[in-house]
Amino acid sequence: MSEWAVGLSTGCFYRSNILECLELIRESGFSLIEVCSSPSHLDYHDLEAVRRSARRITDLGMTAYSFHAPFADHIDISSIDAGLREAALKEILCAVEAAAILQVSYLVIHPGPENAMTPPPHERFQRMENVVETLDRVARHCKNLGIGCVLENKLPHLLFGKTSDILWILDALNAIEVGACLDTGHAYLSSDIFNLLHKLANHLKMVHVHDNRGHFDDHLPPGDGAIDWRTLLRKLTEARFHGPLILEMAGAADANTTLANARRGRSYLRNVARQLTLSTP
């Protein structure tokens, strides 16, 4: 159980340039990272900047395991408007190019816009079909560049944020290589965390770990909220999950506090895993 690698998303430093935080992250004992695509952190349009970051990651003895594709209201791969949909696809394909330069294992994608719209049933179905068509194109490009593609479960109030939505999309994709990334905080807010884990088990490639108290997407260190981590880690073991746990922490006012929170979350996960191992016959 304790074999799981625990990494850190650089998203906790999304307001600053990635080159300003990599050494701090490495000094805190994290060698495995997910790279955030916030333009203020790493402009994925600037491929030379991406190359500089990739070289620095290598020089520090770190591994970029995943790259989080951009997500925003205007990046809408479900859009009924073909022009808007193509513009969203262009943004994500640009992120794929950056991901390949970083030599990540996976590109993480939110399946749809960061929007709480409730379209009528016929439009909703068309939007879901648009998501599938676009993601198939993204997945093919990822495969051509030697990286994988995973879908992350979204916050439950957003479009395609329900468990049934991500399962429908995964089943409808022609690109069978597309996997899933379980986001524990989003899943807990949906009140469906263990059912979602069970349903995604055959697709699961990685897990975003963070905690909350059941009301807001707080991105707390594991153990600071209300998630039952003992049950969650036990179920991950039963699902034969072997991928990494990537901490997605909220950034604090200063870097030292942020990294102290990350280390505490990592220690908590390792202690729970160790206790489960010792209690297993």
Side-chain angles (χ1 to χ4, degrees):
M1 234 172 280
S2 56
E3 70 192 51
W4 292 319
V6 180
L8 179 66
S9 167
T10 66
C12 53
F13 296 107
Y14 76 93
R15 293 183 181 89
S16 59
N17 189 284
I18 188 172
L19 294 177
E20 297 173 9
C21 68
L22 285 174
E23 190 168 350
L24 293 173
I25 292 172
R26 187 69 183 93
E27 289 174 351
S28 282
F30 290 96
S31 59
L32 190 73
I33 57 172
E34 174 172 287
V35 178
C36 166
S37 62
S38 172
S40 58
H41 184 68
L42 177 61
D43 184 358
Y44 55 90
H45 301 94
D46 184 348
L47 297 186
E48 185 49 43
V50 176
R51 291 185 187 96
R52 286 195 298 271
S53 299
R55 288 194 294 269
R56 186 59 177 149
I57 290 168
T58 299
D59 290 345
L60 288 168
M62 304 171 79
T63 299
Y65 185 79
S66 50
F67 183 62
H68 203 307
F71 54 93
D73 283 351
H74 69 279
I75 302 178
D76 186 0
I77 61 174
S78 78
S79 179
I80 299 300
D81 185 307
L84 293 177
R85 200 164 63 249
E86 285 296 315
L89 173 63
K90 183 178 179 181
E91 281 297 299
I92 294 175
L93 292 182
C94 185
V96 174
E97 297 291 330
I101 291 170
L102 292 166
Q103 295 184 305
V104 301
S105 295
Y106 291 106
L107 178 81
V108 182
I109 302 179
H110 287 187
E114 300 301 290
N115 195 304
M117 71 173 81
T118 307
H122 69 280
E123 180 183 323
R124 191 175 192 281
F125 182 71
Q126 181 60 60
R127 283 179 171 273
M128 290 185 79
E129 289 195 318
N130 290 345
V131 168
V132 170
E133 180 186 355
T134 307
L135 287 176
D136 271 325
R137 294 170 66 182
V138 172
R140 285 197 299 271
H141 195 52
C142 283
K143 185 177 181 180
N144 289 339
L145 292 177
I147 60 178
C149 179
V150 293
L151 302 188
E152 177 183 340
N153 56 299
K154 298 170 64 180
L155 286 165
H157 69 282
L158 297 176
L159 184 64
F160 310 137
K162 295 179 180 178
T163 296
S164 57
D165 294 333
I166 191 169
L167 293 173
W168 189 92
I169 292 168
L170 283 167
D171 287 342
L173 287 166
N174 291 320
I176 59 173
E177 298 88 357
V178 176
C181 171
L182 174 69
D183 185 294
T184 61
H186 297 172
Y188 186 67
L189 289 171
S190 74
S191 302
D192 199 28
I193 186 168
F194 300 124
N195 178 56
L196 180 57
L197 191 162
H198 175 71
K199 295 290 181 64
L200 291 180
N202 290 334
H203 303 279
L204 202 57
K205 303 297 182 185
M206 57 185 292
V207 179
H208 282 165
V209 289
H210 54 99
D211 215 335
N212 62 65
R213 300 183 179 93
H215 305 292
F216 304 103
D217 190 25
D218 302 306
H219 285 260
L220 301 172
D224 282 14
I227 292 177
D228 180 356
W229 291 97
R230 183 180 178 88
T231 299
L232 182 63
L233 295 190
R234 177 172 55 80
K235 289 186 177 294
L236 281 173
T237 301
E238 292 170 354
R240 301 182 184 279
F241 173 70
H242 298 294
L245 308 178
I246 302 294
L247 288 159
E248 271 199 332
M249 313 300 305
D254 67 280
N256 289 332
T257 301
T258 297
L259 292 168
N261 288 339
R263 290 193 301 271
R264 189 174 75 255
R266 178 181 58 191
S267 294
Y268 180 84
L269 291 171
R270 287 176 172 171
N271 286 336
V272 172
R274 189 177 301 112
Q275 291 166 16
L276 284 169
T277 299
L278 292 173
S279 65
T280 302

